[in-house]
Amino acid sequence: MQTQPGTTVIADRYAVQGELCRSAVGMTVRARDRLLGRDVAITLIHPALGDDDAFVTSLADQTKRVAKVSGPGIARLLDTGQQDEILFVVREHVDGETAQTALRRDGPLDPDSAVRAGSAVLDALAVAHDAGAFHLWIGLDDVVFRADRTPSVTGLGIASAVLAARPDDVSAFIGELAPEVVTKATAEVGDAVEIDARADVFAVGALLFELLTGERPGGRSSPRAIRSAVPRSVDRVVARSLAPDPRDRYSDARAFSAALAETRRGLPASASD
């Protein structure tokens, strides 16, 4: 990386403008793509992962798959590279605020807003699933609300790369995962543990739980038990998505989204309507 007067430039192309967020995986910054004249979001991978050849190979495999994913609600993968021993991933910059920022400022979302956000995230993930890409863990910083409050999903492919390369460390780097993902991380070599769209059903269920309550599930499945304002219909849908056995969850992202849409019929409209 080059540091020009007052500016850090990555790969002689991306001029860093400021930090967006940090996680165990690395730091994400906003930058200006000087070649194409657009803003991008660049994740600088933590050296604990970037120095691992297995992770580098796994991430390369994942980014090839994710590069095929394009659709509303997905922050597109634009570029990858390595400079000064720092691995980086470049994505479309989504102008808005993360769900983390929104919750810290305003507290939990009203049920209608949370349900709409969850449905939009699921609709975006369904497109990714069609391309064979799974998110596995959607943290609050992986969801960016645009000015019209529609969410976009970022970070696609990172958790899958960690799982493939560093299974013993996946929970430390990522967070609360579907039970079958944890099982796969601890399984003996050769053991068959299937990971499919239902892992992301769980991930979005965990996201909704946090949007509704301000707390991570931590093994719990009922947001209503924490926040009585959560309608029973929403509570039932979220609880099913967080079932420990994937066979008890919704079969895929579209089925989960449809179930959430049904709950909106009885909900008061959010203030943004």
Side-chain angles (χ1 to χ4, degrees):
M1 300 181 190
Q2 293 179 327
T3 301
Q4 299 177 359
T7 304
T8 297
V9 181
I10 301 172
D12 295 323
R13 176 174 176 177
Y14 304 108
V16 176
Q17 298 175 328
E19 181 179 326
L20 292 173
C21 62
R22 294 189 184 216
S23 70
V25 169
M27 176 174 66
T28 301
V29 299
R30 179 173 180 167
R32 185 69 175 174
D33 181 347
R34 292 177 166 179
L35 179 62
L36 298 179
R38 62 185 178 186
D39 288 345
V40 296
I42 304 179
T43 299
L44 305 171
I45 302 297
H46 194 287
L49 289 172
D51 291 344
D52 183 338
D53 290 341
F55 174 79
V56 174
T57 299
S58 178
L59 183 62
D61 290 341
Q62 287 297 324
T63 53
K64 288 177 184 177
R65 186 174 293 111
V66 171
K68 303 175 184 177
V69 179
S70 178
I74 292 285
R76 293 179 297 118
L77 177 70
L78 303 174
D79 191 14
T80 62
Q82 190 168 3
Q83 184 174 317
D84 299 334
E85 300 182 352
I86 300 295
L87 190 67
F88 63 86
V89 178
V90 183
R91 299 181 191 273
E92 171 190 9
H93 173 68
V94 180
D95 194 16
E97 66 176 6
T98 66
Q100 180 79 268
T101 298
L103 257 68
R104 284 177 177 171
R105 185 188 62 239
D106 302 327
L109 274 60
D110 66 81
D112 183 64
S113 294
V115 165
R116 290 202 298 178
S119 291
V121 168
L122 287 162
D123 292 342
L125 287 177
V127 176
H129 295 167
D130 290 342
F134 303 107
H135 206 295
L136 301 187
W137 166 249
I138 305 174
L140 294 177
D141 283 330
D142 292 323
V143 176
V144 181
F145 290 115
R146 299 176 184 270
D148 63 359
R149 305 311 292 169
T150 58
S152 286
V153 179
T154 187
L156 190 64
I158 297 291
S160 295
V162 176
L163 178 64
R166 301 284 293 273
D168 292 341
D169 302 328
V170 67
S171 293
F173 280 109
I174 305 302
E176 190 171 353
L177 301 164
E180 67 271 23
V181 178
V182 177
T183 298
K184 184 176 180 65
T186 57
E188 296 292 334
V189 175
D191 288 352
V193 180
E194 182 182 5
I195 301 297
D196 57 24
R198 292 171 296 181
D200 275 352
V201 167
F202 184 96
V204 178
L207 172 71
L208 270 169
F209 190 103
E210 193 164 4
L211 291 177
L212 287 164
T213 67
E215 301 178 16
R216 291 186 178 180
R220 299 168 294 183
S221 63
S222 171
R224 183 178 170 85
I226 298 169
R227 185 183 175 202
S228 60
V230 176
R232 295 185 189 278
S233 59
V234 175
D235 189 69
R236 285 192 295 269
V237 172
V238 173
R240 180 175 173 183
S241 71
L242 291 171
D245 188 333
R247 293 172 295 185
D248 295 331
R249 298 178 208 144
Y250 296 99
S251 59
D252 57 29
R254 291 185 175 92
F256 188 6
S257 179
L260 285 174
E262 281 295 314
T263 70
R264 288 200 67 213
R265 296 184 179 183
L267 298 181
S270 60
S272 60
D273 283 343

